[in-house]
Amino acid sequence: MTLSPRLRKSTLTVHVISSVGLLGAVAAFLILAVAGLVGRDAQTVRAAYTANGLTAWFLIVPLSYAALLTGIIQSLGTKWGLFRHYWVLAKLLLTVLAVIVLLLQMEGITYLAGVAAETTFSDADLIGLRRSIGLHAAGGVLVLLATTILSVCKPRGMTRYGWRKQNEARAALAP
Amino acid sequence: MADLPSYPGAPRWVKVSAIVVAVLVLLGVAMIVTGVGGPHGPWRHMSGNDIPPTGVTEGTRGGQAPLEAGNR
């Protein structure tokens, strides 16, 4: 399956916007999570976790789905393929991992946002959950930085499957 | 038809990345097994003290004085 040039450019544009937007959204989430952890002002702490809940539900989750979906469409609809080049495969694995971890974290993020909307935190309240959310957000930023670098650099290297497919195609074209 | 050329193997960056990922995974597993990382799962971070009791009122949770607005 090969995408038409117009469709390829459209999905590429959506992919770049969603991927880079996701990195920015997770970075903003991380800053809010840190503000929630170290903040001494009750209103700031509550606002940080409330904003984190909204950011996660209405920005990070939709962008992560969009980035994953458009990435898969892009790779399957172009010469790159999904399993032919190591950099594409690495991006796929990292993105799937990030989405799984995000979905596992959503319950805690939602709970924390709900508590922040209803009550005032003390320093020790939900500290394990608050640290965990910050730690996972930091990990998310690193993973998304890695996928962005992979996209830009496209380091060489074909998988065994990609190598075989490439040579089969060359052999088929040979006179 | 001529034989296909043999596969040259994975490039160095793939091997190095695989080793780094393997070390990180082992480290994570070790932290979970030894208990350093605490119990894992979405709710692992919430001990009994983390879960607010029902009927709790603002400013009394956790047995500590809450952070007051403007309390810097």
Side-chain angles (χ1 to χ4, degrees):
Chain A
M1 181 185 75
T2 305
L3 296 174
S4 66
R6 190 172 180 172
L7 192 57
R8 187 183 65 78
K9 281 189 178 176
S10 301
T11 53
L12 178 62
T13 304
V14 176
H15 182 63
V16 171
I17 290 171
S18 56
S19 302
V20 178
L22 179 61
L23 174 58
V26 176
F29 183 97
L30 173 61
I31 289 171
L32 289 170
V34 172
L37 267 177
V38 303
R40 302 296 304 166
D41 178 83
Q43 283 189 332
T44 303
V45 173
R46 292 178 65 185
Y49 289 120
T50 306
N52 261 357
L54 292 170
T55 306
W57 275 113
F58 296 107
L59 207 53
I60 294 176
V61 169
L63 284 175
S64 65
Y65 284 146
L68 181 59
L69 186 65
T70 53
I72 290 172
I73 293 171
Q74 270 288 303
S75 56
L76 290 177
T78 63
K79 67 184 173 71
W80 292 106
L82 196 53
F83 303 107
R84 295 185 180 202
H85 296 264
Y86 279 111
W87 73 269
V88 178
L89 186 60
K91 268 194 74 180
L92 174 69
L93 294 176
L94 287 172
T95 308
V96 168
L97 174 74
V99 171
I100 290 171
V101 172
L102 168 66
L103 295 180
L104 288 173
Q105 290 293 311
M106 283 309 295
E107 200 173 3
I109 292 167
T110 306
Y111 177 77
L112 202 51
V115 172
E118 292 173 2
T119 63
T120 299
F121 284 101
S122 77
D123 274 340
D125 280 341
L126 302 168
I127 192 65
L129 182 61
R130 290 157 67 189
R131 280 183 188 152
S132 165
I133 285 173
L135 196 66
H136 284 87
V141 168
L142 291 178
V143 166
L144 294 172
L145 279 174
T147 58
T148 306
I149 292 168
L150 283 171
S151 299
V152 173
C153 296
K154 296 181 177 58
R156 67 176 182 84
M158 296 191 89
T159 62
R160 190 179 292 276
Y161 168 77
W163 181 262
R164 195 179 74 238
K165 285 287 179 187
Q166 185 187 57
N167 285 306
E168 283 174 359
R170 281 181 183 166
L173 288 174
Chain B
M1 190 175 75
D3 287 339
L4 297 177
S6 60
Y7 179 61
R12 187 185 297 167
W13 74 267
V14 174
K15 292 172 184 170
V16 172
S17 302
I19 291 169
V20 170
V21 169
V23 169
L24 288 176
V25 168
L26 286 175
L27 198 63
V29 170
M31 285 177 71
I32 293 168
V33 169
T34 58
V36 176
H40 232 72
W43 291 101
R44 69 191 185 280
H45 314 284
M46 297 182 61
S47 64
N49 294 332
D50 281 345
I51 301 171
T54 54
V56 71
T57 55
E58 184 169 333
T60 61
R61 296 174 62 246
Q64 295 186 16
L67 295 168
E68 296 299 339
N71 179 24
R72 289 181 182 274

